[in-house]
Amino acid sequence: ARGSGLLAPPRLASLDGSPRSVSPSTSQRGAPLDDLPSEPYDRTQQRVLIIGTGFGMLLNPAQFNVLRDAGYQIRAVETLPNPETPNFQVHQFLPTIKKAIDEFQPHAIACASKGGVFMVALWQTGLWAGPTLFINRHPMLCGLPKGVPVVLCHGSNDEYYQYRREDIENLVRSGEANRCLLYYTANSGPLGRGFTREGDRHNMQSLVQYDCLPRLLDAAMCGSDPTMHLMNSWNRFVTEERLKAEQWLGFRPEDLRRLWQSEEQRGFDETITFDVARGTEEYAKVETLFKAQPTVPRAYTDMNPGMWQTLEFVRMERVENGMQEDGNASPYCRALERGIQAQGLRFRPGLHTKWAFHGSSAVEEIVSNPIAGFQPLMSGSRAAALWGPGTYFARDAKYVYDGGFCKINPDGTKTMLLCLLMSGIPCLGDPNHRGVLPIRQGRHRYNSSVDSISNPEIYVTQTPGAAYPAYVITFRS
């Protein structure tokens, strides 16, 4: 569903049980599963049918309004009764939905809460095999249909439909591999008397923030892996200038060597850190990353944002640790690439690798360690693993500064690291994770964790080779 190459509405079966046609999503399995948009995406050309019952048209209007305001062509079926009444005969009302489908020819159907009863019936009768957005896992939903692109949304604090996270993850894995996405929100670990983030209740407030619900609908209709499509949308939360700076620096560990000054760029000199000269393009790119602010307000407290652009850079050092890069970061990156390819996806530097910041009092130990600079299973967030054990990185340097994670030097200056992460395919973090992340599909587990699937600001790695400390930045505020 990109540019003029929009998804054609799936052809549908009739109520008399005649064979259903294969939807476009299932007829293209030989094509790459993670093609990402290369043309402008026009939401105004996409038709979305909403099952009105349960969608909160009156009780939770923001959920409907965010889709309407995104520009989609929308039609809602609002005449369906409450299906959660005793002895309800759902099949009596399917002709009403089928009539709407035949007339409107939607590219996707969206449902929520009790409307899930009708969605399950549409799947079971073969009346719909196209992209589906399913908000709140209904008790009637026990498995996802094969070949159908599904985005399932659920919050850990849902008052009505309460499930263990692992049960919902198992449900999503029952669907077609690389065609289903679980959008899940949950509480962080406790910090003080509260949480840094809280999971959604039945009315999922996170869906109406950061254009989240429309992006999930886009992912369902993308014709490829919805997870990759959603991950690609994270770029809209950083500036174009920062994206260009990241591209210039490179997204693989070996890309960094072209800038190295050590003998034959091998990184085996006694000196491990080299000053980056002011006025060079490299200096400017790193400074751009460091000072970049997100394009939307951060989820965390942003203290005095105006002062960030006036910081004084004292020193910028490039880390040239050949033993750590050769023996740890690069082998991990290659293994990550093989693992993603084994799942039928393309490995994309810049999507599966990221630039992020890390604060620590042990900067010298991290950059000089000949094997592994980061020790994830001994790390956390101020001794509290808010999103599970591992090494914590921030998308924005200012988060490291505001949180007090910088190393404070004797002269009052502060130091943090700019790192290249091999983040792979992340899942939502969980304080109950114990160093082993959930399975994504088959034998393949997620590669890292984040604080939000909609707009991640924190990344957590569980493997030493998943990050390379590329630059040491010392500054004065």
Side-chain angles (χ1 to χ4, degrees):
R2 299 185 293 274
S4 59
L6 304 174
L7 281 178
R11 295 165 58 198
L12 306 165
S14 63
L15 280 172
D16 62 8
S18 58
R20 67 179 179 181
S21 300
V22 177
S23 74
S25 298
T26 59
S27 64
Q28 299 174 356
R29 288 183 197 162
L33 292 179
D34 63 333
D35 283 343
L36 298 175
S38 58
E39 303 174 10
Y41 178 80
D42 188 358
R43 287 173 173 167
T44 66
Q45 299 301 308
Q46 305 299 288
R47 295 184 296 277
V48 180
L49 183 68
I50 293 177
I51 296 176
T53 302
F55 208 81
M57 310 292 282
L58 297 177
L59 297 179
N60 185 22
Q63 189 164 267
F64 173 81
N65 292 342
V66 73
L67 292 181
R68 181 198 61 195
D69 295 344
Y72 301 107
Q73 300 176 43
I74 293 179
R75 178 171 175 177
V77 182
E78 300 186 71
T79 58
L80 302 171
N82 179 4
E84 295 182 338
T85 56
N87 304 314
F88 184 78
Q89 300 298 314
V90 65
H91 289 78
Q92 294 181 12
F93 301 93
L94 295 186
T96 300
I97 306 177
K98 182 182 183 300
K99 183 175 184 291
I101 292 173
D102 291 342
E103 293 175 352
F104 190 54
Q105 288 289 291
H107 296 95
I109 295 182
C111 69
S113 189
K114 63 187 70 175
V117 174
F118 297 104
M119 194 68 247
V120 171
L122 290 174
W123 286 338
Q124 291 175 341
T125 56
L127 291 176
W128 182 253
T132 305
L133 177 67
F134 203 118
I135 302 172
N136 315 121
R137 179 198 169 176
H138 193 275
M140 289 288 292
L141 180 60
C142 299
L144 300 185
K146 295 294 185 181
V148 177
V150 180
V151 173
L152 176 63
C153 311
H154 201 82
S156 65
N157 296 321
D158 192 305
E159 315 94 283
Y160 304 111
Y161 306 151
Q162 299 177 2
Y163 300 97
R164 299 184 307 166
R165 173 175 171 170
E166 51 265 41
D167 293 335
I168 299 181
E169 290 170 336
N170 287 336
L171 171 66
V172 173
R173 284 196 294 271
S174 71
E176 188 79 16
N178 298 326
R179 294 297 188 189
C180 300
L181 163 65
L182 171 61
Y183 175 76
Y184 188 76
T185 64
N187 298 342
S188 70
L191 186 65
R193 296 183 178 181
F195 306 99
T196 60
R197 284 187 186 261
E198 294 188 14
D200 282 310
R201 301 173 70 84
H202 194 68
N203 287 344
M204 298 185 67
Q205 290 301 308
S206 73
L207 294 180
V208 300
Q209 301 169 342
Y210 304 124
D211 196 44
C212 181
L213 189 55
R215 286 187 293 123
L216 292 173
L217 193 53
D218 293 343
M221 294 189 289
C222 72
S224 60
D225 187 303
T227 300
M228 301 305 105
H229 196 279
L230 181 64
M231 288 171 57
N232 193 55
S233 75
W234 296 344
N235 282 341
R236 69 178 60 184
F237 302 120
V238 298
T239 64
E240 187 67 26
E241 186 181 19
R242 171 171 173 163
L243 290 174
K244 290 179 179 178
E246 292 180 349
Q247 182 70 42
W248 189 91
L249 289 173
F251 288 115
R252 293 177 181 266
E254 55 267 29
D255 292 343
L256 310 181
R257 283 181 178 263
R258 78 186 193 283
L259 303 169
W260 284 13
Q261 297 173 249
S262 52
E263 185 177 354
E264 297 181 354
Q265 297 180 319
R266 297 175 62 200
F268 292 154
D269 294 9
E270 289 188 12
T271 299
I272 292 177
T273 57
F274 293 79
D275 286 333
V276 179
R278 294 177 184 269
T280 62
E281 190 168 11
E282 179 184 10
Y283 192 100
K285 299 303 183 186
V286 173
E287 183 177 18
T288 294
L289 262 70
F290 184 85
K291 289 189 174 181
Q293 291 278 54
T295 59
V296 295
R298 286 204 291 268
Y300 305 97
T301 302
D302 192 355
M303 295 186 291
N304 192 8
M307 56 76 65
W308 193 243
Q309 300 303 316
T310 63
L311 290 176
E312 177 190 352
F313 273 65
V314 176
R315 191 176 188 185
M316 183 186 299
E317 300 166 274
R318 184 192 319 106
V319 179
E320 303 186 17
N321 189 331
M323 296 181 70
Q324 191 177 136
E325 194 272 335
D326 280 342
N328 208 21
S330 284
Y332 181 83
C333 189
R334 291 191 293 269
L336 178 66
E337 180 173 6
R338 291 193 299 270
I340 290 174
Q341 291 172 342
Q343 297 177 62
L345 301 170
R346 289 178 180 160
F347 178 76
R348 297 180 181 272
L351 183 71
H352 300 121
T353 59
K354 301 277 183 185
W355 284 96
F357 296 89
H358 179 77
S360 172
S361 60
V363 169
E364 289 79 9
E365 292 84 350
I366 291 172
V367 302
S368 63
N369 192 301
I371 300 175
F374 297 101
Q375 304 295 328
L377 298 185
M378 299 177 63
S379 304
S381 177
R382 291 191 179 279
L386 298 178
W387 299 105
T391 305
Y392 282 59
F393 299 87
R395 179 193 63 193
D396 305 315
K398 194 168 187 299
Y399 174 90
V400 179
Y401 174 84
D402 286 345
F405 298 110
C406 298
K407 176 186 177 182
I408 301 178
N409 303 308
D411 62 356
T413 60
K414 297 179 174 67
T415 297
M416 73 172 75
L417 295 168
L418 173 59
C419 306
L420 180 61
L421 303 187
M422 279 60 77
S423 49
I425 304 174
C427 66
L428 182 71
D430 188 324
N432 294 316
H433 285 161
R434 292 294 179 262
V436 178
L437 297 179
I439 291 175
R440 180 175 184 267
Q441 66 179 50
R443 298 171 58 189
H444 299 279
R445 295 183 180 274
Y446 288 97
N447 308 113
S448 62
S449 50
V450 292
D451 63 329
S452 166
I453 299 298
S454 172
N455 177 17
E457 299 183 35
I458 296 172
Y459 289 80
V460 187
T461 62
Q462 291 75 27
T463 306
Y468 178 76
Y471 292 92
V472 181
I473 301 171
T474 302
F475 61 98
R476 181 178 289 110
S477 57

